[in-house]
Amino acid sequence: MNREELPPTAPPDESPPEHPRGLMARFRNYFLTGLIVAGPVAITLYLTWWFVNWVDSIVRPFVPTAYRPETYLPFGLPGSGLIVAVIALTLLGFLTANLIGRTLVDLGERLLGRMPVVRAIYRGLKQVFETLFSGKGSSFRRVGLVEFPSPGMWSIVLISQSPSANIASQLPGEEEHISVFLPCAPNPTTGFFFYVPKSKIIEVDMSTEDAATLIMSAGVVQPGSDPQKRNAAALAGMANAARVANSAATLQPAAVKVKRD
């Protein structure tokens, strides 16, 4: 074999990655896979635990010591205050449904209506709770798009009710307006409230839960996609990347024997 026919040899600098680099790549991919699996579960459990303890801290001072579980147990029982709150609210609703309960509620409302500052707070909160929890209103059950904050930029809004007659008469133009709430990312409980002409709102086929998820994730989680399929695809992609990194680290090029004349 002549020297011109010899196969080209790879220069020393272009050698494949060594084994430790593949080991770090596998460690990183496995760590991210575990984070995807455990992260949502841990955050959900933490928020649930925080909510239970928060309700317990509010309800426990109103429960007599003789009826507290820690009086008879060597440890506290988380969730006991939440159970007491649920039973008390259910009992209050049951008592309010009869004639005597309605009479007492009307008496209490008339008493609160005579207080200058408390009256406005109570009426506003009562209307909000009746609208949100009665199940009869249409507030925040529809999602739309509004051109905000500048032309060509669109924001997700929650569509509420039409303005009252007093406000509608003061709005410019003759077109009907709709009150909307624009949540802010990543905290959808804060945002902007304003009135928009009805023709300027593009209503989209999306639930309020999907809209809240889209806002909280800042567009990372898009509505309409299957979370199980998305998580499975992410896990499969990471596992495949780990296998590729492992194979790239372990495969070594075959030595080329050069036969000289």
Side-chain angles (χ1 to χ4, degrees):
M1 178 180 289
N2 299 330
R3 188 177 298 273
E4 292 79 5
E5 300 176 357
L6 295 176
T9 58
D13 332 325
E14 302 179 0
S15 58
E18 298 181 356
H19 186 72
R21 183 177 300 178
L23 194 62
M24 291 302 299
R26 282 186 293 167
F27 175 80
R28 179 191 61 195
N29 291 324
Y30 291 152
F31 173 78
L32 293 178
T33 303
L35 186 63
I36 291 176
V37 174
V41 177
I43 294 176
T44 302
L45 293 178
Y46 172 77
L47 293 178
T48 304
W49 183 261
W50 171 84
F51 177 76
V52 170
N53 289 333
W54 176 69
V55 175
D56 286 349
S57 64
I58 295 177
V59 178
R60 189 177 289 112
F62 298 97
V63 179
T65 308
Y67 296 99
R68 298 180 185 178
E70 56 267 20
T71 306
Y72 309 98
L73 298 176
F75 53 88
L77 188 62
S80 58
L82 181 62
I83 296 175
V84 172
V86 171
I87 295 176
L89 292 176
T90 305
L91 182 61
L92 178 62
F94 171 75
L95 295 177
T96 308
N98 55 45
L99 181 60
I100 299 177
R102 287 196 299 269
T103 304
L104 293 177
V105 170
D106 292 339
L107 179 62
E109 288 183 349
R110 286 197 297 268
L111 180 62
L112 292 175
R114 297 177 181 273
M115 302 180 182
V117 179
V118 179
R119 175 178 55 193
I121 299 176
Y122 173 74
R123 288 180 178 177
L125 291 177
K126 182 182 179 182
Q127 292 179 359
V128 170
F129 273 75
E130 287 179 349
T131 303
L132 293 178
F133 297 104
S134 64
K136 300 178 181 179
S138 58
S139 297
F140 297 156
R141 298 181 184 274
R142 296 179 296 163
V143 181
L145 292 172
V146 171
E147 201 169 13
F148 181 87
S150 61
M153 302 177 65
W154 295 86
S155 300
I156 294 287
V157 295
L158 303 179
I159 302 174
S160 186
Q161 301 285 350
S162 300
S164 61
N166 295 333
I167 297 179
S169 61
Q170 301 298 325
L171 293 173
E174 299 181 357
E175 187 177 356
E176 181 183 358
H177 287 70
I178 299 293
S179 56
V180 298
F181 176 71
L182 192 154
C184 290
N187 183 10
T189 59
T190 61
F192 303 94
F193 171 79
F194 47 86
Y195 296 101
V196 185
K198 193 173 183 179
S199 61
K200 302 295 183 181
I201 302 176
I202 301 177
E203 190 168 349
V204 295
D205 186 13
M206 181 190 302
S207 63
T208 54
E209 291 80 7
D210 290 340
T213 302
L214 178 64
I215 295 170
M216 286 188 294
S217 66
V220 175
V221 179
Q222 295 293 329
S225 57
D226 190 353
Q228 296 181 354
K229 292 181 180 179
R230 184 171 60 252
N231 294 337
L235 296 176
M238 289 189 174
N240 187 33
R243 287 195 298 268
V244 171
N246 187 23
S247 60
T250 55
L251 289 178
Q252 300 292 335
V256 178
K257 295 183 180 180
V258 179
K259 182 179 181 182
R260 300 180 180 275
D261 295 336

